[in-house]
PDB file of all heavy atoms in Angstrom:
ATOM      1  N   TYR A 303     200.900 178.850  58.707  1.00 96.00           N
ATOM      2  CA  TYR A 303     199.993 178.633  57.594  1.00 96.00           C
ATOM      3  C   TYR A 303     198.640 179.179  58.052  1.00 96.00           C
ATOM      4  O   TYR A 303     198.413 179.389  59.243  1.00 96.00           O
ATOM      5  CB  TYR A 303     199.862 177.153  57.265  1.00 96.00           C
ATOM      6  CG  TYR A 303     201.164 176.407  57.127  1.00 96.00           C
ATOM      7  CD1 TYR A 303     201.607 175.557  58.136  1.00 96.00           C
ATOM      8  CD2 TYR A 303     201.951 176.531  55.988  1.00 96.00           C
ATOM      9  CE1 TYR A 303     202.800 174.864  58.019  1.00 96.00           C
ATOM     10  CE2 TYR A 303     203.151 175.846  55.856  1.00 96.00           C
ATOM     11  CZ  TYR A 303     203.580 175.006  56.886  1.00 96.00           C
ATOM     12  OH  TYR A 303     204.753 174.339  56.767  1.00 96.00           O
ATOM     13  N   GLN A 304     197.738 179.385  57.108  1.00 97.00           N
ATOM     14  CA  GLN A 304     196.383 179.789  57.448  1.00 97.00           C
ATOM     15  C   GLN A 304     195.405 179.046  56.555  1.00 97.00           C
ATOM     16  O   GLN A 304     195.621 178.942  55.351  1.00 97.00           O
ATOM     17  CB  GLN A 304     196.182 181.305  57.261  1.00 97.00           C
ATOM     18  CG  GLN A 304     196.952 182.157  58.253  1.00 97.00           C
ATOM     19  CD  GLN A 304     196.798 183.647  57.992  1.00 97.00           C
ATOM     20  OE1 GLN A 304     196.757 184.082  56.836  1.00 97.00           O
ATOM     21  NE2 GLN A 304     196.729 184.434  59.046  1.00 97.00           N
ATOM     22  N   ILE A 305     194.359 178.529  57.160  1.00 98.00           N
ATOM     23  CA  ILE A 305     193.219 178.051  56.390  1.00 98.00           C
ATOM     24  C   ILE A 305     192.107 179.062  56.602  1.00 98.00           C
ATOM     25  O   ILE A 305     191.908 179.538  57.725  1.00 98.00           O
ATOM     26  CB  ILE A 305     192.792 176.629  56.818  1.00 98.00           C
ATOM     27  CG1 ILE A 305     191.619 176.153  55.937  1.00 98.00           C
ATOM     28  CG2 ILE A 305     192.455 176.538  58.296  1.00 98.00           C
ATOM     29  CD1 ILE A 305     191.283 174.682  56.118  1.00 98.00           C
ATOM     30  N   TYR A 306     191.439 179.435  55.513  1.00 98.00           N
ATOM     31  CA  TYR A 306     190.349 180.396  55.704  1.00 98.00           C
ATOM     32  C   TYR A 306     189.092 179.975  54.938  1.00 98.00           C
ATOM     33  O   TYR A 306     188.972 180.144  53.742  1.00 98.00           O
ATOM     34  CB  TYR A 306     190.762 181.838  55.401  1.00 98.00           C
ATOM     35  CG  TYR A 306     191.347 182.182  54.059  1.00 98.00           C
ATOM     36  CD1 TYR A 306     190.569 182.770  53.070  1.00 98.00           C
ATOM     37  CD2 TYR A 306     192.700 181.989  53.792  1.00 98.00           C
ATOM     38  CE1 TYR A 306     191.116 183.147  51.845  1.00 98.00           C
ATOM     39  CE2 TYR A 306     193.264 182.355  52.579  1.00 98.00           C
ATOM     40  CZ  TYR A 306     192.453 182.935  51.615  1.00 98.00           C
ATOM     41  OH  TYR A 306     193.006 183.293  50.410  1.00 98.00           O
ATOM     42  N   PRO A 307     188.143 179.395  55.686  1.00 98.00           N
ATOM     43  CA  PRO A 307     186.805 179.148  55.136  1.00 98.00           C
ATOM     44  C   PRO A 307     186.027 180.454  55.038  1.00 98.00           C
ATOM     45  O   PRO A 307     186.248 181.374  55.826  1.00 98.00           O
ATOM     46  CB  PRO A 307     186.185 178.198  56.164  1.00 98.00           C
ATOM     47  CG  PRO A 307     186.892 178.516  57.445  1.00 98.00           C
ATOM     48  CD  PRO A 307     188.282 178.924  57.068  1.00 98.00           C
ATOM     49  N   ARG A 308     185.113 180.527  54.073  1.00 98.00           N
ATOM     50  CA  ARG A 308     184.341 181.762  53.845  1.00 98.00           C
ATOM     51  C   ARG A 308     182.971 181.700  54.518  1.00 98.00           C
ATOM     52  O   ARG A 308     182.268 180.698  54.395  1.00 98.00           O
ATOM     53  CB  ARG A 308     184.114 181.999  52.354  1.00 98.00           C
ATOM     54  CG  ARG A 308     185.230 182.726  51.624  1.00 98.00           C
ATOM     55  CD  ARG A 308     186.443 181.881  51.443  1.00 98.00           C
ATOM     56  NE  ARG A 308     187.312 182.393  50.380  1.00 98.00           N
ATOM     57  CZ  ARG A 308     188.369 181.742  49.939  1.00 98.00           C
ATOM     58  NH1 ARG A 308     188.690 180.564  50.444  1.00 98.00           N
ATOM     59  NH2 ARG A 308     189.116 182.261  48.981  1.00 98.00           N
ATOM     60  N   VAL A 309     182.628 182.777  55.191  1.00 98.00           N
ATOM     61  CA  VAL A 309     181.239 183.012  55.594  1.00 98.00           C
ATOM     62  C   VAL A 309     180.457 183.470  54.364  1.00 98.00           C
ATOM     63  O   VAL A 309     179.346 183.021  54.103  1.00 98.00           O
ATOM     64  CB  VAL A 309     181.144 184.077  56.702  1.00 98.00           C
ATOM     65  CG1 VAL A 309     179.703 184.174  57.222  1.00 98.00           C
ATOM     66  CG2 VAL A 309     182.112 183.796  57.837  1.00 98.00           C
ATOM     67  N   ILE A 310     181.054 184.390  53.590  1.00 97.00           N
ATOM     68  CA  ILE A 310     180.484 184.903  52.345  1.00 97.00           C
ATOM     69  C   ILE A 310     181.595 184.899  51.302  1.00 97.00           C
ATOM     70  O   ILE A 310     182.710 185.351  51.576  1.00 97.00           O
ATOM     71  CB  ILE A 310     179.948 186.340  52.523  1.00 97.00           C
ATOM     72  CG1 ILE A 310     178.875 186.395  53.615  1.00 97.00           C
ATOM     73  CG2 ILE A 310     179.399 186.883  51.208  1.00 97.00           C
ATOM     74  CD1 ILE A 310     178.457 187.819  53.986  1.00 97.00           C
ATOM     75  N   SER A 311     181.310 184.386  50.119  1.00 95.00           N
ATOM     76  CA  SER A 311     182.336 184.325  49.069  1.00 95.00           C
ATOM     77  C   SER A 311     182.408 185.596  48.238  1.00 95.00           C
ATOM     78  O   SER A 311     183.327 185.767  47.437  1.00 95.00           O
ATOM     79  CB  SER A 311     182.067 183.131  48.145  1.00 95.00           C
ATOM     80  OG  SER A 311     182.265 181.920  48.845  1.00 95.00           O
ATOM     81  N   GLY A 312     181.438 186.517  48.435  1.00 94.00           N
ATOM     82  CA  GLY A 312     181.467 187.776  47.708  1.00 94.00           C
ATOM     83  C   GLY A 312     180.127 188.085  47.071  1.00 94.00           C
ATOM     84  O   GLY A 312     179.249 187.232  46.968  1.00 94.00           O
ATOM     85  N   GLY A 313     179.978 189.357  46.658  1.00 95.00           N
ATOM     86  CA  GLY A 313     178.770 189.765  45.963  1.00 95.00           C
ATOM     87  C   GLY A 313     177.997 190.841  46.700  1.00 95.00           C
ATOM     88  O   GLY A 313     178.489 191.442  47.660  1.00 95.00           O
ATOM     89  N   LYS A 314     176.793 191.073  46.244  1.00 96.00           N
ATOM     90  CA  LYS A 314     175.932 192.107  46.836  1.00 96.00           C
ATOM     91  C   LYS A 314     175.061 191.464  47.917  1.00 96.00           C
ATOM     92  O   LYS A 314     174.370 190.477  47.661  1.00 96.00           O
ATOM     93  CB  LYS A 314     175.072 192.764  45.764  1.00 96.00           C
ATOM     94  CG  LYS A 314     175.901 193.512  44.710  1.00 96.00           C
ATOM     95  CD  LYS A 314     175.027 194.239  43.728  1.00 96.00           C
ATOM     96  CE  LYS A 314     175.855 194.915  42.641  1.00 96.00           C
ATOM     97  NZ  LYS A 314     176.806 195.893  43.203  1.00 96.00           N
ATOM     98  N   ILE A 315     175.110 192.027  49.112  1.00 97.00           N
ATOM     99  CA  ILE A 315     174.390 191.490  50.268  1.00 97.00           C
ATOM    100  C   ILE A 315     173.389 192.533  50.745  1.00 97.00           C
ATOM    101  O   ILE A 315     173.732 193.706  50.923  1.00 97.00           O
ATOM    102  CB  ILE A 315     175.363 191.140  51.413  1.00 97.00           C
ATOM    103  CG1 ILE A 315     176.548 190.307  50.892  1.00 97.00           C
ATOM    104  CG2 ILE A 315     174.620 190.420  52.525  1.00 97.00           C
ATOM    105  CD1 ILE A 315     176.153 188.975  50.294  1.00 97.00           C
ATOM    106  N   ARG A 316     172.154 192.117  50.949  1.00 97.00           N
ATOM    107  CA  ARG A 316     171.112 193.038  51.410  1.00 97.00           C
ATOM    108  C   ARG A 316     171.267 193.364  52.894  1.00 97.00           C
ATOM    109  O   ARG A 316     171.768 192.550  53.673  1.00 97.00           O
ATOM    110  CB  ARG A 316     169.728 192.442  51.174  1.00 97.00           C
ATOM    111  CG  ARG A 316     169.343 192.312  49.710  1.00 97.00           C
ATOM    112  CD  ARG A 316     167.936 191.755  49.595  1.00 97.00           C
ATOM    113  NE  ARG A 316     167.517 191.622  48.202  1.00 97.00           N
ATOM    114  CZ  ARG A 316     166.971 192.599  47.487  1.00 97.00           C
ATOM    115  NH1 ARG A 316     166.783 193.790  48.043  1.00 97.00           N
ATOM    116  NH2 ARG A 316     166.612 192.404  46.239  1.00 97.00           N
ATOM    117  N   ALA A 317     170.849 194.543  53.283  1.00 97.00           N
ATOM    118  CA  ALA A 317     170.872 194.940  54.680  1.00 97.00           C
ATOM    119  C   ALA A 317     170.103 193.926  55.524  1.00 97.00           C
ATOM    120  O   ALA A 317     168.995 193.513  55.168  1.00 97.00           O
ATOM    121  CB  ALA A 317     170.246 196.321  54.848  1.00 97.00           C
ATOM    122  N   GLY A 318     170.718 193.510  56.636  1.00 97.00           N
ATOM    123  CA  GLY A 318     170.075 192.578  57.552  1.00 97.00           C
ATOM    124  C   GLY A 318     170.082 191.129  57.124  1.00 97.00           C
ATOM    125  O   GLY A 318     169.575 190.263  57.847  1.00 97.00           O
ATOM    126  N   GLU A 319     170.666 190.824  55.969  1.00 97.00           N
ATOM    127  CA  GLU A 319     170.724 189.447  55.470  1.00 97.00           C
ATOM    128  C   GLU A 319     171.818 188.694  56.224  1.00 97.00           C
ATOM    129  O   GLU A 319     172.999 189.034  56.115  1.00 97.00           O
ATOM    130  CB  GLU A 319     171.005 189.472  53.972  1.00 97.00           C
ATOM    131  CG  GLU A 319     171.000 188.126  53.282  1.00 97.00           C
ATOM    132  CD  GLU A 319     171.212 188.286  51.778  1.00 97.00           C
ATOM    133  OE1 GLU A 319     170.321 188.863  51.114  1.00 97.00           O
ATOM    134  OE2 GLU A 319     172.275 187.870  51.286  1.00 97.00           O
ATOM    135  N   VAL A 320     171.434 187.681  56.998  1.00 98.00           N
ATOM    136  CA  VAL A 320     172.376 186.969  57.866  1.00 98.00           C
ATOM    137  C   VAL A 320     173.014 185.811  57.107  1.00 98.00           C
ATOM    138  O   VAL A 320     172.319 184.992  56.495  1.00 98.00           O
ATOM    139  CB  VAL A 320     171.662 186.445  59.126  1.00 98.00           C
ATOM    140  CG1 VAL A 320     172.652 185.675  60.005  1.00 98.00           C
ATOM    141  CG2 VAL A 320     171.050 187.599  59.914  1.00 98.00           C
ATOM    142  N   HIS A 321     174.340 185.742  57.157  1.00 98.00           N
ATOM    143  CA  HIS A 321     175.097 184.637  56.566  1.00 98.00           C
ATOM    144  C   HIS A 321     175.837 183.908  57.677  1.00 98.00           C
ATOM    145  O   HIS A 321     176.358 184.538  58.608  1.00 98.00           O
ATOM    146  CB  HIS A 321     176.075 185.152  55.516  1.00 98.00           C
ATOM    147  CG  HIS A 321     175.390 185.631  54.274  1.00 98.00           C
ATOM    148  ND1 HIS A 321     175.420 184.920  53.089  1.00 98.00           N
ATOM    149  CD2 HIS A 321     174.640 186.734  54.037  1.00 98.00           C
ATOM    150  CE1 HIS A 321     174.724 185.577  52.170  1.00 98.00           C
ATOM    151  NE2 HIS A 321     174.244 186.683  52.719  1.00 98.00           N
ATOM    152  N   ARG A 322     175.891 182.588  57.564  1.00 98.00           N
ATOM    153  CA  ARG A 322     176.447 181.771  58.651  1.00 98.00           C
ATOM    154  C   ARG A 322     177.570 180.859  58.156  1.00 98.00           C
ATOM    155  O   ARG A 322     177.477 180.256  57.084  1.00 98.00           O
ATOM    156  CB  ARG A 322     175.350 180.919  59.290  1.00 98.00           C
ATOM    157  CG  ARG A 322     175.857 179.854  60.271  1.00 98.00           C
ATOM    158  CD  ARG A 322     174.739 179.179  61.018  1.00 98.00           C
ATOM    159  NE  ARG A 322     174.151 180.100  62.000  1.00 98.00           N
ATOM    160  CZ  ARG A 322     173.268 179.719  62.919  1.00 98.00           C
ATOM    161  NH1 ARG A 322     172.851 178.466  62.967  1.00 98.00           N
ATOM    162  NH2 ARG A 322     172.796 180.611  63.775  1.00 98.00           N
ATOM    163  N   LEU A 323     178.623 180.775  58.958  1.00 98.00           N
ATOM    164  CA  LEU A 323     179.646 179.735  58.839  1.00 98.00           C
ATOM    165  C   LEU A 323     179.577 178.925  60.121  1.00 98.00           C
ATOM    166  O   LEU A 323     179.622 179.487  61.226  1.00 98.00           O
ATOM    167  CB  LEU A 323     181.038 180.347  58.684  1.00 98.00           C
ATOM    168  CG  LEU A 323     182.213 179.361  58.788  1.00 98.00           C
ATOM    169  CD1 LEU A 323     182.230 178.404  57.603  1.00 98.00           C
ATOM    170  CD2 LEU A 323     183.540 180.110  58.892  1.00 98.00           C
ATOM    171  N   GLU A 324     179.467 177.599  59.976  1.00 98.00           N
ATOM    172  CA  GLU A 324     179.396 176.744  61.161  1.00 98.00           C
ATOM    173  C   GLU A 324     180.213 175.476  60.925  1.00 98.00           C
ATOM    174  O   GLU A 324     180.130 174.864  59.858  1.00 98.00           O
ATOM    175  CB  GLU A 324     177.943 176.379  61.475  1.00 98.00           C
ATOM    176  CG  GLU A 324     177.768 175.583  62.759  1.00 98.00           C
ATOM    177  CD  GLU A 324     176.297 175.405  63.111  1.00 98.00           C
ATOM    178  OE1 GLU A 324     175.500 175.093  62.195  1.00 98.00           O
ATOM    179  OE2 GLU A 324     175.940 175.576  64.285  1.00 98.00           O
ATOM    180  N   PHE A 325     181.001 175.124  61.913  1.00 98.00           N
ATOM    181  CA  PHE A 325     181.781 173.885  61.819  1.00 98.00           C
ATOM    182  C   PHE A 325     182.020 173.311  63.209  1.00 98.00           C
ATOM    183  O   PHE A 325     181.972 174.034  64.222  1.00 98.00           O
ATOM    184  CB  PHE A 325     183.114 174.121  61.093  1.00 98.00           C
ATOM    185  CG  PHE A 325     184.003 175.165  61.695  1.00 98.00           C
ATOM    186  CD1 PHE A 325     184.910 174.861  62.695  1.00 98.00           C
ATOM    187  CD2 PHE A 325     183.948 176.492  61.245  1.00 98.00           C
ATOM    188  CE1 PHE A 325     185.739 175.835  63.250  1.00 98.00           C
ATOM    189  CE2 PHE A 325     184.766 177.470  61.778  1.00 98.00           C
ATOM    190  CZ  PHE A 325     185.666 177.138  62.785  1.00 98.00           C
TER     191      PHE A 325
END
Side-chain angles (χ1 to χ4, degrees):
Y303 311 104
Q304 292 177 322
I305 182 170
Y306 56 100
R308 274 72 161 187
V309 187
I310 301 171
S311 293
K314 297 184 183 301
I315 311 298
R316 292 182 180 274
E319 184 177 294
V320 179
H321 289 253
R322 170 172 288 189
L323 170 68
E324 185 173 44
F325 57 87

